[in-house]
Every structure is written in structure tokens, then in C-alpha cells.
Amino acid sequence: MAGAVTTDTRPVDLDHVVISDDGDRYRVTLNRPERRNAITGEMIAELHRVCAIVERAPKPVLLCGAGRNFAGGADIAQLARRTRDDALAGINRTLFDRIAALALPTVAVVEGYALGGGAELAYACDIRIAAPDAVFGNPEPALGILAAAGASYRLPQLVGISVAKQILLAGARLDAEQALRHGLVMEVADDPFAAAETVIDRIVAQSALALRLSKTVIDAPGHHPWADDIAQAVLFEGPDKTDRMAAFLEKKS
């Protein structure tokens, strides 16, 4: 077995993904390094199981790939066999939307290639930390298909419509420095795992409920000041606000 984690007293055995519970965070690793962590149907199914674990006991997630790459794309041999009905089922998109909707922040560590479905998986995370050799791209039209697992609506929000079209229509790729310049990644680091752990350290030091509600209102479509007000009202009446502000004022005095 590639990896196993126990939750709710039930062991979960995985072959293409490794999940570890590191106390206040999860680390999830795509584990097909011999294939640049190409995303298969089996990996998608296992990542749904991982999502179920995280949904039952929410914590921040560090998502990465084994070996020298994040994910080089979908497994083309499997993709070649998919049909119209598979496309309409939104196999990859449904998973990536589920990852994007996880309650607490997700941080992707991107080394090497994040292409095609691998790039779309990275786009679904809240924050991306890149190694200097990271490369993002969506070459799907070269294979006669489109980037249909979230790139069409996530990438324009992340980098703007002009850069998104350069990637999705003209086959442009972003290296790490270009990704940083366009806001796709938070940081380029020689040790991206240490940088990601530092980010998650800051996340777990904050109020989990405040983070959950913040992520909900940020990701909600459209203009929604009423939702912000309602979320803030919930937080104003909660013990976290009272305790944290009292501690701040006591420290200041």
C-alpha cells in the first residue's frame, strides 16, 4: 500500500495518494512519481476519499507531488478512452471543485510540472508555493480537448483574463517567476515545503471559524455584503472573538 491513515477508527488504504495527519494539518501527496504523478481515475477516486477524511475533521491541507513534479497532467492513455458521457460526468472537475470547497485553506507545493489536470488541481487550492523549477500550463487544445476541470473559471480569477487566454488558447506556460509576477503563486522558494509549512503555521494560529467563514464569503459569487455582515455577526457572538481580543488587549496593556 502506498499510504494509509486511520480516521474515526477506520483504516483507509490508498495506492496512488499518501495522506498523513500531522496534528494540526494534513499532508496529501500524489504518489505516481514514475509517471510524473499523472492523474488517473483511480487517483481521482482516492482523492475523493481523502476529501471525505478532511471534511469529517477539517484542518488545513498541504498538497504536493512525490518526486520531482507536482502533476504532469492527466494520464493520456486513460483520457484517450474517455467518452462523451465521461465528459458530461465532470470526473476531474467534480473532484477539484470539492477540493476548492474544503472548509479550511489548502496550500499546494508545486515542484516541476503542473500541467493540464495537474495545473487545474493546483488552481483549485487556495494558495500555491512554487519551487524555482515550477512550470504551469494547460496544453489540452494540442490534444484536441479543452481544460475543462476548472481552468476556464479559476485561472482568469487568479491571473486575469488576458494571461489566462495566453495559457488556455496560445499554449503559453508560466515558469515560477512569471507565476509569481502574475499572482498565481504566493512565493518562490528554494525549500517550498518549509515555506508552505510556515504559511500553514500562520493559518493554524488564527481562528478556525473565522477562516472558514472568510473562505466562504470570499468564494461566494457576486457582490454579497449581506453575507459578510451575517458571517461577522456570527463571529462577534462567538467565544473566539472574545478570548482573542481580550488576550490582545491584555498583552498590549
Side-chain angles (χ1 to χ4, degrees), residues 67-89:
R68 300 175 61 86
N69 296 282
F70 180 74
D75 186 291
I76 302 302
Q78 284 194 0
L79 199 59
R81 296 193 297 271
R82 287 189 180 174
T83 66
R84 175 190 61 190
D85 289 342
D86 293 321
L88 292 174

Side-chain angles (χ1 to χ4, degrees), residues 95-106:
L95 170 71
F96 298 168
D97 285 352
R98 187 176 185 182
I99 289 172
L102 290 173
L104 290 173
T106 51

Side-chain angles (χ1 to χ4, degrees), residues 106-207:
T106 51
V107 180
V109 171
V110 179
E111 299 179 293
Y113 289 123
L115 301 178
E120 292 181 291
L121 176 55
Y123 304 156
C125 293
D126 296 302
I127 296 168
R128 286 152 294 281
I129 305 291
D133 66 346
V135 178
F136 297 84
N138 289 96
E140 286 89 344
L143 296 171
I145 60 175
L146 61 88
S152 64
Y153 49 93
R154 289 198 179 95
L155 192 56
Q157 293 181 335
L158 292 169
V159 301
I161 189 69
S162 177
V163 175
K165 284 184 175 181
Q166 292 170 43
I167 295 168
L168 298 174
L169 304 181
R173 293 183 178 185
L174 298 183
D175 64 24
E177 290 301 328
Q178 291 170 318
L180 179 64
R181 187 163 65 248
H182 291 298
L184 182 59
V185 303
M186 179 179 180
E187 182 179 349
V188 178
D190 290 331
D191 187 343
F193 286 93
E197 295 286 5
T198 297
V199 171
I200 296 177
D201 287 343
R202 293 200 298 269
I203 289 170
V204 298
Q206 301 179 74
S207 163

Side-chain angles (χ1 to χ4, degrees), residues 24-37:
D24 58 2
R25 68 201 67 185
Y26 297 104
R27 179 179 291 210
V28 177
T29 305
L30 310 179
N31 195 39
R32 297 185 72 219
E34 72 285 356
R35 294 289 185 269
R36 293 181 175 173
N37 300 315

